[in-house]
mmCIF file of all heavy atoms in Angstrom:
data_model
loop_
_atom_site.group_PDB
_atom_site.id
_atom_site.type_symbol
_atom_site.label_atom_id
_atom_site.label_comp_id
_atom_site.label_asym_id
_atom_site.label_seq_id
_atom_site.Cartn_x
_atom_site.Cartn_y
_atom_site.Cartn_z
ATOM 1 N N PRO O 247 -12.825 -21.245 -10.265
ATOM 2 C CA PRO O 247 -12.879 -20.351 -11.432
ATOM 3 C C PRO O 247 -12.215 -19.007 -11.169
ATOM 4 O O PRO O 247 -11.564 -18.445 -12.058
ATOM 5 C CB PRO O 247 -14.381 -20.192 -11.694
ATOM 6 C CG PRO O 247 -14.985 -21.452 -11.151
ATOM 7 C CD PRO O 247 -14.163 -21.772 -9.930
ATOM 8 N N GLU O 248 -12.365 -18.477 -9.945
ATOM 9 C CA GLU O 248 -11.746 -17.190 -9.611
ATOM 10 C C GLU O 248 -10.225 -17.323 -9.544
ATOM 11 O O GLU O 248 -9.491 -16.438 -10.011
ATOM 12 C CB GLU O 248 -12.313 -16.677 -8.283
ATOM 13 C CG GLU O 248 -13.771 -16.233 -8.392
ATOM 14 C CD GLU O 248 -14.456 -16.085 -7.051
ATOM 15 O OE1 GLU O 248 -13.901 -16.529 -6.014
ATOM 16 O OE2 GLU O 248 -15.571 -15.519 -7.026
ATOM 17 N N GLN O 249 -9.732 -18.416 -8.973
ATOM 18 C CA GLN O 249 -8.289 -18.630 -8.924
ATOM 19 C C GLN O 249 -7.715 -18.759 -10.331
ATOM 20 O O GLN O 249 -6.645 -18.225 -10.627
ATOM 21 C CB GLN O 249 -7.971 -19.892 -8.122
ATOM 22 C CG GLN O 249 -8.236 -19.783 -6.629
ATOM 23 C CD GLN O 249 -7.833 -21.043 -5.886
ATOM 24 O OE1 GLN O 249 -6.767 -21.619 -6.136
ATOM 25 N NE2 GLN O 249 -8.681 -21.504 -4.982
ATOM 26 N N PHE O 250 -8.429 -19.472 -11.181
ATOM 27 C CA PHE O 250 -7.978 -19.638 -12.562
ATOM 28 C C PHE O 250 -7.842 -18.289 -13.263
ATOM 29 O O PHE O 250 -6.824 -17.995 -13.900
ATOM 30 C CB PHE O 250 -8.956 -20.537 -13.317
ATOM 31 C CG PHE O 250 -8.781 -20.512 -14.806
ATOM 32 C CD1 PHE O 250 -7.735 -21.193 -15.406
ATOM 33 C CD2 PHE O 250 -9.649 -19.797 -15.612
ATOM 34 C CE1 PHE O 250 -7.561 -21.169 -16.779
ATOM 35 C CE2 PHE O 250 -9.489 -19.764 -16.986
ATOM 36 C CZ PHE O 250 -8.440 -20.454 -17.575
ATOM 37 N N SER O 251 -8.865 -17.441 -13.161
ATOM 38 C CA SER O 251 -8.844 -16.128 -13.827
ATOM 39 C C SER O 251 -7.714 -15.264 -13.296
ATOM 40 O O SER O 251 -6.992 -14.618 -14.075
ATOM 41 C CB SER O 251 -10.189 -15.428 -13.634
ATOM 42 O OG SER O 251 -11.225 -16.145 -14.267
ATOM 43 N N GLN O 252 -7.526 -15.247 -11.972
ATOM 44 C CA GLN O 252 -6.456 -14.435 -11.385
ATOM 45 C C GLN O 252 -5.080 -14.941 -11.817
ATOM 46 O O GLN O 252 -4.180 -14.141 -12.113
ATOM 47 C CB GLN O 252 -6.553 -14.481 -9.862
ATOM 48 C CG GLN O 252 -7.792 -13.830 -9.269
ATOM 49 C CD GLN O 252 -7.865 -14.053 -7.765
ATOM 50 O OE1 GLN O 252 -7.016 -13.585 -7.010
ATOM 51 N NE2 GLN O 252 -8.871 -14.797 -7.338
ATOM 52 N N ALA O 253 -4.912 -16.265 -11.844
ATOM 53 C CA ALA O 253 -3.602 -16.825 -12.208
ATOM 54 C C ALA O 253 -3.265 -16.529 -13.669
ATOM 55 O O ALA O 253 -2.128 -16.170 -13.994
ATOM 56 C CB ALA O 253 -3.600 -18.327 -11.946
ATOM 57 N N ARG O 254 -4.245 -16.656 -14.548
ATOM 58 C CA ARG O 254 -3.968 -16.376 -15.954
ATOM 59 C C ARG O 254 -3.675 -14.897 -16.161
ATOM 60 O O ARG O 254 -2.772 -14.534 -16.924
ATOM 61 C CB ARG O 254 -5.132 -16.821 -16.836
ATOM 62 C CG ARG O 254 -4.763 -16.824 -18.317
ATOM 63 C CD ARG O 254 -5.784 -17.515 -19.161
ATOM 64 N NE ARG O 254 -7.094 -16.836 -19.120
ATOM 65 C CZ ARG O 254 -8.151 -17.223 -19.827
ATOM 66 N NH1 ARG O 254 -8.071 -18.293 -20.605
ATOM 67 N NH2 ARG O 254 -9.296 -16.577 -19.747
ATOM 68 N N ASP O 255 -4.403 -14.028 -15.463
ATOM 69 C CA ASP O 255 -4.132 -12.593 -15.561
ATOM 70 C C ASP O 255 -2.731 -12.272 -15.053
ATOM 71 O O ASP O 255 -2.012 -11.459 -15.656
ATOM 72 C CB ASP O 255 -5.167 -11.807 -14.766
ATOM 73 C CG ASP O 255 -6.536 -11.814 -15.425
ATOM 74 O OD1 ASP O 255 -6.631 -12.213 -16.598
ATOM 75 O OD2 ASP O 255 -7.523 -11.448 -14.748
ATOM 76 N N PHE O 256 -2.343 -12.898 -13.940
ATOM 77 C CA PHE O 256 -1.005 -12.677 -13.373
ATOM 78 C C PHE O 256 0.061 -13.080 -14.386
ATOM 79 O O PHE O 256 1.040 -12.354 -14.605
ATOM 80 C CB PHE O 256 -0.864 -13.493 -12.085
ATOM 81 C CG PHE O 256 0.394 -13.218 -11.306
ATOM 82 C CD1 PHE O 256 0.409 -12.283 -10.284
ATOM 83 C CD2 PHE O 256 1.574 -13.901 -11.591
ATOM 84 C CE1 PHE O 256 1.568 -12.033 -9.562
ATOM 85 C CE2 PHE O 256 2.737 -13.652 -10.881
ATOM 86 C CZ PHE O 256 2.729 -12.715 -9.859
ATOM 87 N N LEU O 257 -0.133 -14.226 -15.022
ATOM 88 C CA LEU O 257 0.822 -14.691 -16.021
ATOM 89 C C LEU O 257 0.899 -13.756 -17.220
ATOM 90 O O LEU O 257 1.994 -13.385 -17.682
ATOM 91 C CB LEU O 257 0.426 -16.093 -16.501
ATOM 92 C CG LEU O 257 1.027 -17.284 -15.759
ATOM 93 C CD1 LEU O 257 0.380 -18.574 -16.233
ATOM 94 C CD2 LEU O 257 2.536 -17.339 -15.943
ATOM 95 N N MET O 258 -0.245 -13.348 -17.719
ATOM 96 C CA MET O 258 -0.261 -12.535 -18.930
ATOM 97 C C MET O 258 0.362 -11.166 -18.701
ATOM 98 O O MET O 258 0.901 -10.560 -19.623
ATOM 99 C CB MET O 258 -1.690 -12.419 -19.456
ATOM 100 C CG MET O 258 -2.219 -13.763 -19.990
ATOM 101 S SD MET O 258 -3.925 -13.718 -20.556
ATOM 102 C CE MET O 258 -3.752 -12.693 -22.017
ATOM 103 N N ARG O 259 0.328 -10.690 -17.451
ATOM 104 C CA ARG O 259 0.974 -9.406 -17.139
ATOM 105 C C ARG O 259 2.492 -9.522 -17.165
ATOM 106 O O ARG O 259 3.195 -8.540 -17.350
ATOM 107 C CB ARG O 259 0.530 -8.905 -15.768
ATOM 108 C CG ARG O 259 -0.905 -8.435 -15.687
ATOM 109 C CD ARG O 259 -1.142 -7.604 -14.438
ATOM 110 N NE ARG O 259 -0.833 -8.321 -13.215
ATOM 111 C CZ ARG O 259 -1.716 -9.057 -12.534
ATOM 112 N NH1 ARG O 259 -2.959 -9.194 -12.990
ATOM 113 N NH2 ARG O 259 -1.368 -9.667 -11.412
ATOM 114 N N THR O 260 3.003 -10.736 -16.933
ATOM 115 C CA THR O 260 4.456 -10.905 -16.833
ATOM 116 C C THR O 260 5.112 -11.294 -18.147
ATOM 117 O O THR O 260 6.325 -11.152 -18.296
ATOM 118 C CB THR O 260 4.793 -11.988 -15.796
ATOM 119 O OG1 THR O 260 4.361 -13.265 -16.272
ATOM 120 C CG2 THR O 260 4.118 -11.703 -14.465
ATOM 121 N N LEU O 261 4.332 -11.805 -19.101
ATOM 122 C CA LEU O 261 4.909 -12.320 -20.337
ATOM 123 C C LEU O 261 5.194 -11.210 -21.345
ATOM 124 O O LEU O 261 4.504 -10.194 -21.369
ATOM 125 C CB LEU O 261 3.979 -13.359 -20.959
ATOM 126 C CG LEU O 261 3.778 -14.653 -20.156
ATOM 127 C CD1 LEU O 261 2.768 -15.550 -20.848
ATOM 128 C CD2 LEU O 261 5.097 -15.378 -19.942
ATOM 129 N N HIS O 262 6.191 -11.457 -22.178
ATOM 130 C CA HIS O 262 6.521 -10.522 -23.240
ATOM 131 C C HIS O 262 5.610 -10.754 -24.445
ATOM 132 O O HIS O 262 5.034 -11.822 -24.621
ATOM 133 C CB HIS O 262 7.971 -10.696 -23.687
ATOM 134 C CG HIS O 262 8.957 -10.499 -22.588
ATOM 135 N ND1 HIS O 262 9.031 -9.344 -21.844
ATOM 136 C CD2 HIS O 262 9.921 -11.330 -22.096
ATOM 137 C CE1 HIS O 262 9.996 -9.451 -20.944
ATOM 138 N NE2 HIS O 262 10.544 -10.645 -21.073
ATOM 139 N N LYS O 263 5.505 -9.736 -25.254
ATOM 140 C CA LYS O 263 4.831 -9.886 -26.540
ATOM 141 C C LYS O 263 5.878 -9.818 -27.646
ATOM 142 O O LYS O 263 6.805 -9.015 -27.600
ATOM 143 C CB LYS O 263 3.771 -8.805 -26.734
ATOM 144 C CG LYS O 263 2.534 -9.034 -25.887
ATOM 145 C CD LYS O 263 1.386 -8.141 -26.303
ATOM 146 C CE LYS O 263 0.116 -8.509 -25.548
ATOM 147 N NZ LYS O 263 -1.034 -7.675 -25.974
ATOM 148 N N VAL O 264 5.705 -10.673 -28.634
ATOM 149 C CA VAL O 264 6.655 -10.784 -29.737
ATOM 150 C C VAL O 264 5.949 -10.386 -31.022
ATOM 151 O O VAL O 264 4.775 -10.712 -31.230
ATOM 152 C CB VAL O 264 7.176 -12.237 -29.839
ATOM 153 C CG1 VAL O 264 8.195 -12.368 -30.960
ATOM 154 C CG2 VAL O 264 7.770 -12.676 -28.514
ATOM 155 N N GLN O 265 6.673 -9.671 -31.896
ATOM 156 C CA GLN O 265 6.070 -9.281 -33.170
ATOM 157 C C GLN O 265 5.692 -10.526 -33.973
ATOM 158 O O GLN O 265 6.500 -11.440 -34.138
ATOM 159 C CB GLN O 265 7.043 -8.427 -33.978
ATOM 160 C CG GLN O 265 7.363 -7.076 -33.355
ATOM 161 C CD GLN O 265 6.127 -6.233 -33.133
ATOM 162 O OE1 GLN O 265 5.791 -5.911 -32.007
ATOM 163 N NE2 GLN O 265 5.434 -5.896 -34.210
ATOM 164 N N SER O 266 4.480 -10.551 -34.462
ATOM 165 C CA SER O 266 3.998 -11.730 -35.179
ATOM 166 C C SER O 266 4.302 -11.667 -36.677
ATOM 167 O O SER O 266 4.105 -12.641 -37.384
ATOM 168 C CB SER O 266 2.494 -11.891 -34.982
ATOM 169 O OG SER O 266 1.815 -10.738 -35.467
ATOM 170 N N GLY O 267 4.794 -10.537 -37.174
ATOM 171 C CA GLY O 267 5.096 -10.406 -38.608
ATOM 172 C C GLY O 267 6.405 -9.688 -38.811
ATOM 173 O O GLY O 267 7.123 -9.370 -37.871
ATOM 174 N N ASP O 268 6.704 -9.405 -40.057
ATOM 175 C CA ASP O 268 7.972 -8.776 -40.386
ATOM 176 C C ASP O 268 7.933 -7.260 -40.269
ATOM 177 O O ASP O 268 8.964 -6.607 -40.186
ATOM 178 C CB ASP O 268 8.383 -9.151 -41.819
ATOM 179 C CG ASP O 268 8.652 -10.643 -41.939
ATOM 180 O OD1 ASP O 268 9.080 -11.237 -40.933
ATOM 181 O OD2 ASP O 268 8.421 -11.188 -43.039
ATOM 182 N N THR O 269 6.746 -6.677 -40.281
ATOM 183 C CA THR O 269 6.649 -5.224 -40.259
ATOM 184 C C THR O 269 6.611 -4.702 -38.836
ATOM 185 O O THR O 269 6.209 -5.403 -37.903
ATOM 186 C CB THR O 269 5.387 -4.764 -41.002
ATOM 187 O OG1 THR O 269 4.235 -5.207 -40.288
ATOM 188 C CG2 THR O 269 5.361 -5.336 -42.413
ATOM 189 N N PHE O 270 6.993 -3.433 -38.717
ATOM 190 C CA PHE O 270 7.040 -2.795 -37.401
ATOM 191 C C PHE O 270 5.655 -2.738 -36.767
ATOM 192 O O PHE O 270 5.508 -2.830 -35.549
ATOM 193 C CB PHE O 270 7.628 -1.380 -37.546
ATOM 194 C CG PHE O 270 7.690 -0.639 -36.252
ATOM 195 C CD1 PHE O 270 8.691 -0.904 -35.330
ATOM 196 C CD2 PHE O 270 6.732 0.333 -35.943
ATOM 197 C CE1 PHE O 270 8.745 -0.217 -34.132
ATOM 198 C CE2 PHE O 270 6.793 1.021 -34.741
ATOM 199 C CZ PHE O 270 7.799 0.755 -33.840
ATOM 200 N N ASN O 271 4.632 -2.571 -37.595
ATOM 201 C CA ASN O 271 3.281 -2.402 -37.075
ATOM 202 C C ASN O 271 2.509 -3.720 -36.905
ATOM 203 O O ASN O 271 1.320 -3.710 -36.583
ATOM 204 C CB ASN O 271 2.476 -1.483 -37.997
ATOM 205 C CG ASN O 271 3.007 -0.059 -37.974
ATOM 206 O OD1 ASN O 271 3.409 0.430 -36.918
ATOM 207 N ND2 ASN O 271 3.027 0.594 -39.133
ATOM 208 N N SER O 272 3.168 -4.836 -37.151
ATOM 209 C CA SER O 272 2.460 -6.112 -36.986
ATOM 210 C C SER O 272 2.117 -6.314 -35.514
ATOM 211 O O SER O 272 2.872 -5.924 -34.627
ATOM 212 C CB SER O 272 3.327 -7.262 -37.504
ATOM 213 O OG SER O 272 4.542 -7.323 -36.783
ATOM 214 N N PRO O 273 0.953 -6.899 -35.239
ATOM 215 C CA PRO O 273 0.507 -7.024 -33.839
ATOM 216 C C PRO O 273 1.399 -7.982 -33.056
ATOM 217 O O PRO O 273 1.936 -8.955 -33.604
ATOM 218 C CB PRO O 273 -0.906 -7.591 -33.978
ATOM 219 C CG PRO O 273 -0.919 -8.281 -35.302
ATOM 220 C CD PRO O 273 -0.010 -7.483 -36.183
ATOM 221 N N GLY O 274 1.575 -7.686 -31.771
ATOM 222 C CA GLY O 274 2.372 -8.558 -30.913
ATOM 223 C C GLY O 274 1.543 -9.719 -30.385
ATOM 224 O O GLY O 274 0.345 -9.594 -30.180
ATOM 225 N N VAL O 275 2.182 -10.847 -30.205
ATOM 226 C CA VAL O 275 1.513 -12.009 -29.621
ATOM 227 C C VAL O 275 2.318 -12.451 -28.409
ATOM 228 O O VAL O 275 3.524 -12.212 -28.306
ATOM 229 C CB VAL O 275 1.394 -13.168 -30.627
ATOM 230 C CG1 VAL O 275 0.523 -12.791 -31.802
ATOM 231 C CG2 VAL O 275 2.773 -13.614 -31.102
ATOM 232 N N LEU O 276 1.637 -13.115 -27.469
ATOM 233 C CA LEU O 276 2.309 -13.590 -26.275
ATOM 234 C C LEU O 276 3.418 -14.574 -26.635
ATOM 235 O O LEU O 276 3.260 -15.406 -27.524
ATOM 236 C CB LEU O 276 1.310 -14.267 -25.344
ATOM 237 C CG LEU O 276 0.359 -13.363 -24.555
ATOM 238 C CD1 LEU O 276 -0.634 -14.210 -23.777
ATOM 239 C CD2 LEU O 276 1.129 -12.454 -23.606
ATOM 240 N N GLU O 277 4.538 -14.484 -25.915
ATOM 241 C CA GLU O 277 5.651 -15.404 -26.171
ATOM 242 C C GLU O 277 5.249 -16.858 -25.939
ATOM 243 O O GLU O 277 5.823 -17.777 -26.531
ATOM 244 C CB GLU O 277 6.835 -15.046 -25.274
ATOM 245 C CG GLU O 277 6.502 -15.101 -23.783
ATOM 246 C CD GLU O 277 7.695 -14.776 -22.905
ATOM 247 O OE1 GLU O 277 8.677 -15.531 -22.968
ATOM 248 O OE2 GLU O 277 7.635 -13.774 -22.175
ATOM 249 N N ILE O 278 4.296 -17.088 -25.070
ATOM 250 C CA ILE O 278 3.737 -18.415 -24.845
ATOM 251 C C ILE O 278 2.250 -18.336 -25.143
ATOM 252 O O ILE O 278 1.551 -17.491 -24.585
ATOM 253 C CB ILE O 278 3.973 -18.886 -23.399
ATOM 254 C CG1 ILE O 278 5.470 -19.015 -23.132
ATOM 255 C CG2 ILE O 278 3.262 -20.217 -23.134
ATOM 256 C CD1 ILE O 278 5.828 -19.200 -21.679
ATOM 257 N N PRO O 279 1.717 -19.166 -26.022
ATOM 258 C CA PRO O 279 0.311 -19.044 -26.421
ATOM 259 C C PRO O 279 -0.640 -19.138 -25.232
ATOM 260 O O PRO O 279 -0.411 -19.894 -24.281
ATOM 261 C CB PRO O 279 0.113 -20.229 -27.380
ATOM 262 C CG PRO O 279 1.476 -20.522 -27.899
ATOM 263 C CD PRO O 279 2.419 -20.229 -26.774
ATOM 264 N N LYS O 280 -1.708 -18.391 -25.312
ATOM 265 C CA LYS O 280 -2.692 -18.348 -24.235
ATOM 266 C C LYS O 280 -3.280 -19.719 -23.945
ATOM 267 O O LYS O 280 -3.575 -20.059 -22.798
ATOM 268 C CB LYS O 280 -3.805 -17.361 -24.618
ATOM 269 C CG LYS O 280 -4.815 -17.106 -23.512
ATOM 270 C CD LYS O 280 -5.822 -16.049 -23.960
ATOM 271 C CE LYS O 280 -6.880 -15.805 -22.883
ATOM 272 N NZ LYS O 280 -7.877 -14.790 -23.324
ATOM 273 N N VAL O 281 -3.430 -20.547 -24.981
ATOM 274 C CA VAL O 281 -4.010 -21.875 -24.779
ATOM 275 C C VAL O 281 -3.142 -22.715 -23.845
ATOM 276 O O VAL O 281 -3.647 -23.538 -23.070
ATOM 277 C CB VAL O 281 -4.218 -22.599 -26.134
ATOM 278 C CG1 VAL O 281 -2.893 -22.872 -26.827
ATOM 279 C CG2 VAL O 281 -4.985 -23.896 -25.933
ATOM 280 N N VAL O 282 -1.836 -22.518 -23.889
ATOM 281 C CA VAL O 282 -0.931 -23.261 -23.009
ATOM 282 C C VAL O 282 -1.185 -22.880 -21.552
ATOM 283 O O VAL O 282 -1.294 -23.741 -20.666
ATOM 284 C CB VAL O 282 0.536 -22.977 -23.389
ATOM 285 C CG1 VAL O 282 1.490 -23.629 -22.403
ATOM 286 C CG2 VAL O 282 0.811 -23.450 -24.804
#
Side-chain angles (χ1 to χ4, degrees):
E248 290 164 348
Q249 290 183 44
F250 166 76
S251 296
Q252 294 174 64
R254 192 168 63 177
D255 288 347
F256 188 94
L257 269 172
M258 292 177 69
R259 290 196 302 270
T260 68
L261 294 176
H262 301 303
K263 286 192 173 182
V264 181
Q265 294 302 117
S266 60
D268 295 330
T269 66
F270 179 78
N271 293 322
S272 60
V275 296
L276 285 175
E277 59 179 298
I278 297 168
K280 187 176 178 181
V281 64
V282 174

